[in-house]
Amino acid sequence: MSSRVELFQAGPENQRSLENLIELYIHDFSEFVSVDVGEDGRFGYPDLPLYWHEPRHVPFLAKVEGKLSGFALVTRGPGMWGDSEVWDMAEFFVLQRYRHRGVGAEMAEKVWYRCPGKWQIRVRSNNLPARSFWESAIAKFTRKPVSSQDFQIEEVEWNLFSFQCGDQ
């Protein structure tokens, strides 16, 4: 793996940067889900404060050549099917400038190495670019064929990718 992506755990001092990147992420994501901005012109992300105060919520920022390139918000808890503790990629975003250059896959791998254990990644079924990205990134990382489980929550179709990172 190359070392062009610098991944670091974000702290409260990075809150403003993460808030701004989340706005771009939600804007991109609005192609797949109906979401409106508030009266302040921002989408907002109400769960973000948990990432500064809850140890089971881990925020990461990524840089390429010293410039912010994306983020990952990771949580630890029970899996979708009630299995034991799993890591969950709650949100993942790469700025458009860095897409299709391997930055996202490298960023994801670095997150997985930082958080070894069982992983799950949920993707809305209508988000074809994300489904393709995760299938490719996970297959490259695990060196195994990848499949996902289909499920539905509140009439929204999802795909769930599950895999193991490390010996746990």
Side-chain angles (χ1 to χ4, degrees), residues 18-27 41-45:
L18 191 50
E19 287 173 346
N20 291 336
L21 288 172
I22 285 173
E23 290 297 311
L24 297 172
Y25 163 73
I26 296 173
H27 177 267
R42 298 176 55 86
F43 293 104
Y45 190 80

Side-chain angles (χ1 to χ4, degrees), residues 43-89:
F43 293 104
Y45 190 80
D47 289 342
L48 189 59
L50 296 173
Y51 288 87
W52 312 127
H53 305 292
E54 298 287 332
R56 299 170 76 75
H57 290 72
V58 186
F60 291 102
L61 285 170
K63 290 185 175 184
V64 172
E65 297 176 358
K67 305 288 185 195
L68 283 172
S69 57
F71 70 84
L73 298 180
V74 175
T75 61
R76 181 92 172 142
M80 286 295 300
W81 315 125
D83 33 354
S84 60
E85 297 284 295
V86 300
W87 290 105
D88 179 73
M89 192 72 76

Side-chain angles (χ1 to χ4, degrees), residues 98-116:
Y98 299 101
R99 294 179 192 169
H100 309 290
R101 295 176 36 195
V103 170
E106 184 177 340
M107 191 173 127
E109 288 182 17
K110 289 186 175 194
V111 170
W112 296 329
Y113 282 124
R114 294 276 298 264
C115 304

